Amino acid sequence: MSDTAPTPDLSTLTIAVLGGTGPQGRGLARRFAAAGLDVVLGSRDAARAADAAQALAEVGRVRGTSNAEAATAGDIVLVVVPWDGHAELLASLTDELAGKVVVDCVNPLGFDKQGPYALPVAEGSATQQAAAILTGSRVVGAFHNVSAVLLEDPSVERVETDVLVLGDDREATDLVQALADVVPGMRGMYGGRLRNAHQIEAFTANLIAINRRYKAHAGVRVTDV
Amino acid sequence: MSDTAPTPDLSTLTIAVLGGTGPQGRGLARRFAAAGLDVVLGSRDAARAADAAQALAEVGRVRGTSNAEAATAGDIVLVVVPWDGHAELLASLTDELAGKVVVDCVNPLGFDKQGPYALPVAEGSATQQAAAILTGSRVVGAFHNVSAVLLEDPSVERVETDVLVLGDDREATDLVQALADVVPGMRGMYGGRLRNAHQIEAFTANLIAINRRYKAHAGVRVTDV
């Protein structure tokens, strides 16, 4: 959703998903492809990305390749890699990602016997770490709290959740809100500046705790908006 | 809401609100009193608390007194004071609060030209700071993200929001969930352990940013629960 700006046209853009062979990346790719967008999955292993893309061939236009080629191909590039390796991957792709809207979706979480918890991040958040590394890109944070189980389930027609979009670049956050809006049930919403990304990433730990307690695939709706 | 445990009976309990003369404290007191609960407002200035209670006399059973006397009177004690002074107040009330369920509602936030942001807290969160100080109490975090504007508005009949309750003491979190449930529209929900309280407190910065962007009084609903 947008308060005043016109809705950006996504139909001519390519959406790249780095780390696109994990559940979250595959799930997002499925939903964007189902909405008619052009999707490129990236992986460290291009063959695995090609396999994951093949599995989505019936859904829409999805192809798979290396992370570097996906980054080159994408107009909007989602980063859906494990936290362990996040900085290293982005540092290797600064040229490919220059000038692009990069959407960090990574949740730095740890797990122990008591369940999930937020890991400390020197830059404040994964999104701020991405912004610190990708100084030539337009970094936004989004899609942190969306259940991969629901995204990947073809029987789930509507993914009922708001997607909080964090960033300091209004045009970029508007674009990513529009990207979330293409998924039925999903609503993109501005969620604050980059410096307020940490708590949205960390909130995923609470959602996991909620899922365990209530046997749910919890998402978030913001009321009164 | 509760997944399995029986709903605790709140009708015989006194709810104390420390810092009860601010908008959030007054607003919570209004809602609990409207639900028929016995409420005691506390303040550094007992006369101000008495005035605030008098203003709620038509709503229900509300009286005002000092923070120390309110802490003594309450079976469940909500802490709704400014972050600046939080530690000092709690340290002064360790005896009064011993053995009680203490509900920390405080959001450590800063504001500058770019808007709200989360302040760092040595203990991790205000709730964890309370737990570190009140070693003899049963500390829970809750009511962080509820709009004071809505709470205080008598024309708002239902406060449509979930209240995430953080804590490591199941009986205490169940009790505080039941307390949230007494307010029409409000739903108490377990939200994770104390160590995951920070992001719920900090999320209030995002809600303030959302309120500014969308001219709203935003709250949160968890979906699929």
Side-chain angles (χ1 to χ4, degrees):
Chain A
M1 62 176 294
S2 176
D3 55 343
T4 54
T7 302
D9 179 18
L10 296 160
S11 64
T12 61
L13 303 182
T14 294
I15 314 300
V17 182
L18 309 187
T21 59
Q24 198 83 12
R26 290 194 312 252
L28 289 167
R30 166 182 287 277
R31 299 293 166 172
F32 298 141
L37 302 183
D38 184 45
V39 178
V40 181
L41 296 182
S43 170
R44 281 175 299 182
D45 179 345
R48 282 192 63 211
D51 288 346
Q54 184 57 39
L56 293 170
E58 288 184 3
V59 178
R61 288 177 290 153
V62 186
R63 57 201 158 95
T65 183
S66 68
N67 278 324
E69 289 188 7
T72 301
D75 297 298
I76 302 175
V77 182
L78 279 71
V79 180
V80 200
V81 298
W83 170 238
D84 182 22
H86 177 261
E88 189 184 2
L89 177 72
L90 296 182
S92 76
L93 297 175
T94 52
D95 289 347
E96 289 85 346
L97 295 173
K100 298 188 176 182
V101 173
V102 176
V103 187
D104 203 286
C105 313
V106 173
N107 298 315
L109 299 182
F111 293 85
D112 62 17
K113 281 187 293 185
Q114 296 200 320
Y117 59 97
L119 295 173
V121 178
E123 295 84 353
S125 62
T127 310
Q128 287 164 292
Q129 182 184 82
I133 294 168
L134 303 173
T135 54
S137 302
R138 304 167 74 182
V139 175
V140 167
F143 301 106
H144 297 102
N145 307 323
V146 186
S147 163
V149 174
L150 298 183
L151 289 171
E152 285 222 274
D153 184 344
S155 75
V156 173
E157 293 181 4
R158 294 176 60 82
V159 182
E160 296 288 352
T161 193
D162 289 344
V163 170
L164 293 176
V165 179
L166 293 308
D168 299 340
D169 175 335
R170 175 68 185 260
E171 197 177 69
T173 57
D174 281 350
L175 186 66
V176 177
Q177 287 174 239
L179 179 61
D181 286 342
V182 305
V183 180
M186 209 179 264
R187 178 172 69 155
M189 183 181 296
Y190 174 70
R193 291 177 174 272
L194 282 186
R195 67 177 179 178
N196 285 318
H198 164 73
Q199 52 265 30
I200 305 303
E201 300 171 3
F203 185 61
T204 303
N206 301 78
L207 289 174
I208 293 168
I210 289 168
N211 287 345
R212 290 181 178 183
R213 172 68 64 93
Y214 298 107
K215 314 272 184 278
H217 301 297
V220 175
R221 284 280 188 212
V222 175
T223 56
D224 197 41
V225 175
Chain B
M1 64 176 292
S2 176
D3 55 347
T4 53
T7 303
D9 179 18
L10 296 159
S11 63
T12 61
L13 303 183
T14 294
I15 314 300
V17 183
L18 309 188
T21 58
Q24 198 82 12
R26 290 194 312 252
L28 288 168
R30 166 182 288 277
R31 299 293 166 172
F32 298 142
L37 302 183
D38 184 45
V39 178
V40 180
L41 295 182
S43 170
R44 282 176 300 183
D45 180 344
R48 283 191 61 211
D51 288 347
Q54 183 58 38
L56 293 170
E58 288 183 3
V59 178
R61 287 177 292 153
V62 186
R63 58 200 158 97
T65 182
S66 67
N67 278 324
E69 288 188 8
T72 301
D75 297 298
I76 302 174
V77 182
L78 279 72
V79 181
V80 200
V81 299
W83 170 238
D84 181 22
H86 177 260
E88 189 184 2
L89 176 73
L90 296 182
S92 76
L93 296 175
T94 51
D95 289 346
E96 289 85 346
L97 295 173
K100 298 188 176 182
V101 172
V102 175
V103 187
D104 203 286
C105 313
V106 173
N107 299 314
L109 299 182
F111 294 86
D112 62 17
K113 282 187 292 185
Q114 296 199 321
Y117 59 96
L119 295 173
V121 178
E123 295 85 354
S125 63
T127 308
Q128 287 164 292
Q129 182 184 81
I133 294 168
L134 302 172
T135 53
S137 303
R138 304 167 74 183
V139 174
V140 166
F143 300 106
H144 298 102
N145 307 322
V146 186
S147 163
V149 173
L150 299 183
L151 289 172
E152 284 222 275
D153 185 344
S155 74
V156 174
E157 293 181 4
R158 293 176 60 82
V159 181
E160 295 288 351
T161 193
D162 288 344
V163 170
L164 293 175
V165 179
L166 294 307
D168 299 339
D169 174 335
R170 175 69 185 259
E171 196 177 68
T173 57
D174 281 350
L175 186 67
V176 176
Q177 288 174 238
L179 179 62
D181 286 342
V182 304
V183 180
M186 208 180 265
R187 179 173 68 156
M189 183 181 297
Y190 174 69
R193 290 179 174 271
L194 282 186
R195 66 178 180 178
N196 285 318
H198 165 74
Q199 51 266 30
I200 305 303
E201 300 171 3
F203 185 61
T204 304
N206 300 78
L207 288 173
I208 294 169
I210 289 168
N211 287 344
R212 290 181 178 181
R213 173 68 64 92
Y214 298 108
K215 314 275 185 278
H217 301 298
V220 175
R221 282 281 186 213
V222 175
T223 57
D224 197 41
V225 177

